[in-house]
Amino acid sequence: MATNKRDYYEVLGVSRSATEEEIKKAFRRLAKQYHPDANKEPEAEARFIEINEAYEVLSDAQKRSMYDRFGHAGVSNGAGAGFSGFGGDFGFSTINDLFETFFAGTASSQRRAGTQRGADLRYDLTITFEEAVFGCQKEIELPRWENCTVCHGSGAQPGTSTARCSACQGTGEIRRVQQSIFGQFVNVTMCERCRGEGRVITTPCEKCRGQGRVRNNRRVKVNIPAGVDDGINVRVTGEGEVSSRGGTPGNLYVILTVKPHPFFKRSGNDILYEMPISFTQAALGAEVEVPTVDNKTVMLKIPPGTQSGRSFRLKNMGVPVVHSSARGDQHVTVKVVTPTNLSPEEKRLFEELDRLEKERSEQEGKNFFRDLFEKTKDVFQ
């Protein structure tokens, strides 16, 4: 029921009749503009949080409906808290909790903001085709907020203590009683002075200036499992940012882009390879060496009379299934290559082959009509 927040539609700069796609586009544009990594203005981080909160409500049809009907009061538990509980979607665990909230207020311990989880981070990483197939370990460097090493996240200068907030008297909440048609209405909001903590810092830490965290470039090792594919994200738990004055760190999400291979292609957990063979190999049969992603070759038997486009399977020579001992196959499709730039001897041999094929075709034609005559002559006798 926070009344000091801006209208969510105003935050995203869209109309109340905006479509889901319009809301998504507005969010992406603003999130990119105010992301703390790209925007170093003092108010950028607060603006970024506000944008995320507005999008989390307006992008959810159910939450948006509640917001349109009741405003911020309809999402009083915050965008990140959800709406589960009494009545299916109001954010109250029991009927008593509902009446206590609207008519008598709740215990301050239930409404205190407490420590917050730090922000998640995204990192785009490009790996090779082989690294995606067999897995690898990468070390990346990223800027992030970390706990201050001097005050260890408290925000207070070591050796000093905090004082009870005079605005909320240590409760972390500001309560305003109003009258409504239902009776007494209690509006509970987080104390802005102490940010819901109930205590304020009298002597801020000299290093972090009371924030409890500092900006650092950190090198992080990321284990890429075997079998990942393009667009997969790998979560590194606890390697995101810390929130101000303690709290659980967020996670790091590494989004993978896989470089294309010069001649291998991937279909699910199978590897596709096009093998060029000569006309004589296709006609007479042969054994050919086929490269594999394991950086070794295997012998493949091509039977006589093989047609261009025929596929052969190399079992268990494909991509490993993520977090499994299973593995896909490699499919080899042969492509008969028509020879060019023939030598005089090669040309003579092909002309001889052409003569023999014509003779065989003529003989087969004569045999066909002879057999046909023999089968039908009795009909006319």
Side-chain angles (χ1 to χ4, degrees):
M1 297 186 185
T3 58
N4 58 340
K5 293 183 179 180
R6 285 204 301 154
D7 180 79
Y8 286 151
Y9 291 99
E10 180 186 342
V11 170
L12 296 182
V14 296
S15 67
R16 302 189 78 83
S17 60
T19 64
E20 182 180 342
E21 186 61 29
E22 288 172 338
I23 290 174
K24 185 182 294 185
K25 286 182 179 179
F27 166 72
R28 289 177 177 173
R29 176 177 55 80
L30 292 171
K32 183 177 180 180
Q33 179 181 350
Y34 288 100
H35 195 286
D37 288 344
N39 192 326
K40 301 303 180 181
E41 296 179 2
E43 69 277 5
E45 184 176 358
R47 186 83 168 89
F48 183 73
I49 294 172
E50 183 185 41
I51 292 165
N52 274 276
E53 181 180 323
Y55 178 70
E56 190 168 346
V57 171
L58 298 185
S59 62
D60 186 294
Q62 200 168 25
K63 295 178 183 178
R64 183 179 178 182
S65 176
M66 290 293 297
Y67 180 74
D68 288 343
R69 293 175 63 190
F70 304 110
H72 291 294
V75 288
S76 58
N77 277 7
F83 297 87
S84 62
F86 165 72
D89 300 299
F90 284 91
F92 306 104
S93 58
T94 65
I95 296 178
N96 289 336
D97 187 24
L98 172 65
F99 277 88
E100 190 177 36
T101 299
F102 279 96
F103 301 111
T106 57
S108 60
S109 60
Q110 293 178 320
R111 295 301 180 202
R112 185 167 299 184
T115 56
Q116 296 179 346
R117 182 175 173 273
D120 294 332
L121 293 177
R122 168 179 173 150
Y123 187 93
D124 295 309
L125 178 66
T126 300
I127 59 177
T128 65
F129 189 90
E130 291 83 358
E131 288 173 335
V133 172
F134 297 110
C136 60
Q137 186 182 79
K138 293 286 188 178
E139 189 174 67
I140 62 176
E141 183 175 349
L142 67 155
R144 69 181 186 187
W145 288 102
E146 297 181 342
N147 278 328
C148 175
T149 56
V150 174
C151 66
H152 304 291
S154 69
Q157 185 70 14
T160 64
S161 59
T162 58
R164 187 175 70 170
C165 177
S166 58
C168 64
Q169 302 303 316
T171 64
E173 301 171 340
I174 301 297
R175 291 171 170 261
R176 296 181 179 87
V177 180
Q178 299 176 352
Q179 292 296 325
S180 71
I181 59 174
F182 299 105
Q184 192 178 64
F185 179 82
V186 181
N187 183 14
V188 182
T189 60
M190 182 184 72
C191 177
E192 293 293 335
R193 184 166 187 264
C194 66
R195 294 186 174 273
E197 296 181 10
R199 302 190 70 83
V200 292
I201 298 173
T202 56
T203 308
C205 172
E206 293 180 356
K207 182 175 182 180
C208 66
R209 299 180 181 179
Q211 291 192 64
R213 58 181 186 169
V214 292
R215 197 78 170 164
N216 279 332
N217 286 333
R218 178 67 61 182
R219 299 191 71 84
V220 177
K221 290 183 178 180
V222 181
N223 292 314
I224 310 297
V228 296
D229 204 352
D230 195 78
I232 295 294
N233 69 77
V234 177
R235 183 179 67 182
V236 187
T237 304
E239 290 295 349
E241 295 186 332
V242 299
S243 61
S244 59
R245 302 186 192 176
T248 305
N251 298 323
L252 169 64
Y253 291 90
V254 180
I255 313 300
L256 301 177
T257 298
V258 180
K259 292 180 180 178
H261 197 274
F263 43 85
F264 289 131
K265 293 184 179 179
R266 180 171 174 174
S267 176
N269 289 312
D270 291 337
I271 288 179
L272 310 180
Y273 174 67
E274 191 175 79
M275 179 77 184
I277 61 173
S278 68
F279 179 81
T280 54
Q281 286 175 321
L284 303 177
E287 271 195 311
V288 296
E289 284 188 334
V290 177
T292 67
V293 76
D294 297 79
N295 200 26
K296 62 181 181 181
T297 58
V298 297
M299 299 304 297
L300 177 65
K301 187 175 182 179
I302 306 294
T306 294
Q307 300 298 307
S308 185
R310 181 175 176 179
S311 183
F312 300 87
R313 184 178 72 162
L314 302 179
K315 194 173 182 180
N316 296 325
M317 297 297 289
V319 180
V321 179
V322 179
H323 304 308
S324 170
S325 59
R327 189 172 178 180
D329 304 323
Q330 178 171 328
H331 298 271
V332 181
T333 302
V334 296
K335 180 181 179 182
V336 179
V337 179
T338 303
T340 58
N341 300 323
L342 297 175
S343 67
E345 178 64 15
E346 289 173 330
K347 185 177 181 180
R348 186 189 67 79
L349 291 173
F350 272 103
E351 288 173 346
E352 178 65 17
L353 177 63
D354 180 59
R355 184 185 65 79
L356 293 174
E357 286 179 344
K358 287 179 179 179
E359 288 181 357
R360 183 177 66 177
S361 177
E362 290 174 359
Q363 185 61 42
E364 288 176 348
K366 291 177 182 179
N367 292 340
F368 171 78
F369 285 109
R370 184 192 63 198
D371 293 342
L372 180 63
F373 176 76
E374 291 295 330
K375 291 178 181 179
T376 57
K377 68 180 180 178
D378 295 337
V379 177
F380 301 98
Q381 291 179 352

